[in-house]
Amino acid sequence: MSVPPSHNTSGLRLPPEVTRILYVRNLPFDVSANAMYDTFGKYGAIRQVRMGTNAKTKGTAYVVYEDIYDARNAHDGLSGYNLAGRYVVVTYFQQRTPLAA
Amino acid sequence: MTPEQYNQLRHSREMEQRNRPLTDEELDKLLPGDKEGFAILPPPEGYEPL
């Protein structure tokens, strides 16, 4: 897996709550892969997207970016973004379980 | 090395650590999967990361 150069890594330190994984709520239930990848892909390379499938999780998704600075830009740029008629809510996913060393 | 340089080095090292690539296994550990009602959305064809 080639690691894209983190073009805008200015070494700028980001607060600890900023992570590469965004938790998105209030998505239209029938949002397409194209719409998700177009909307979120504008901010940078997407590592993975997980969509909610059951009654409880429908309309929410996890969007994982390759680069933490892209995730921060997406978070700032997309909060309150109108996606197909619904205002999406974007928050940073906080890791509960520590990453394996 | 001045304190500022030292801090800058420490911060960029920390950011590198927070920005190292995540493997699929790590993602599976971190994020809810099929059991918890989340499915991986395959990228549309012709999607090439920026």
Side-chain angles (χ1 to χ4, degrees):
Chain A
M1 182 177 77
S2 71
V3 175
S6 358
H7 40 279
N8 47 15
T9 306
S10 53
L12 172 74
R13 189 169 179 281
L14 294 175
E17 71 276 4
V18 175
T19 66
R20 268 174 297 178
I21 304 175
L22 300 181
Y23 179 57
V24 185
R25 288 183 290 117
N26 205 34
L27 284 164
F29 284 178
D30 53 359
V31 63
S32 67
N34 278 333
M36 286 298 287
Y37 273 82
D38 288 348
T39 308
F40 291 89
K42 285 199 300 280
Y43 292 87
I46 293 181
R47 170 73 176 82
Q48 188 181 81
V49 175
R50 292 187 182 214
M51 300 298 296
T53 50
N54 63 29
K56 200 158 59 71
T57 59
K58 213 90 175 90
T60 70
Y62 288 93
V63 178
V64 187
Y65 280 88
E66 301 270 2
D67 185 276
I68 193 166
Y69 295 93
D70 294 342
R72 194 257 330 254
N73 294 338
H75 171 272
D76 297 351
L78 284 174
S79 293
Y81 177 79
N82 183 323
L83 180 59
R86 292 174 71 112
Y87 290 101
V88 293
V89 176
V90 182
T91 55
Y92 288 114
F93 168 72
Q94 297 309 326
Q95 278 166 229
R96 285 174 306 283
T97 52
L99 266 184
Chain B
M1 185 183 278
T2 65
E4 290 75 25
Q5 283 168 330
Y6 173 71
N7 270 333
Q8 176 53 29
L9 187 66
R10 201 161 46 88
H11 289 159
S12 51
R13 229 182 244 137
E14 180 211 323
M15 286 319 293
E16 268 156 32
Q17 165 55 22
R18 283 167 66 181
N19 222 7
R20 62 173 174 63
L22 284 163
T23 64
D24 289 339
E25 297 71 30
E26 280 169 328
L27 282 176
D28 288 344
K29 271 201 211 91
L30 268 172
L31 294 176
D34 295 331
K35 292 189 297 314
E36 294 90 7
F38 279 91
I40 294 178
L41 180 70
E45 293 77 26
Y47 167 71
E48 4 62 50
L50 284 179

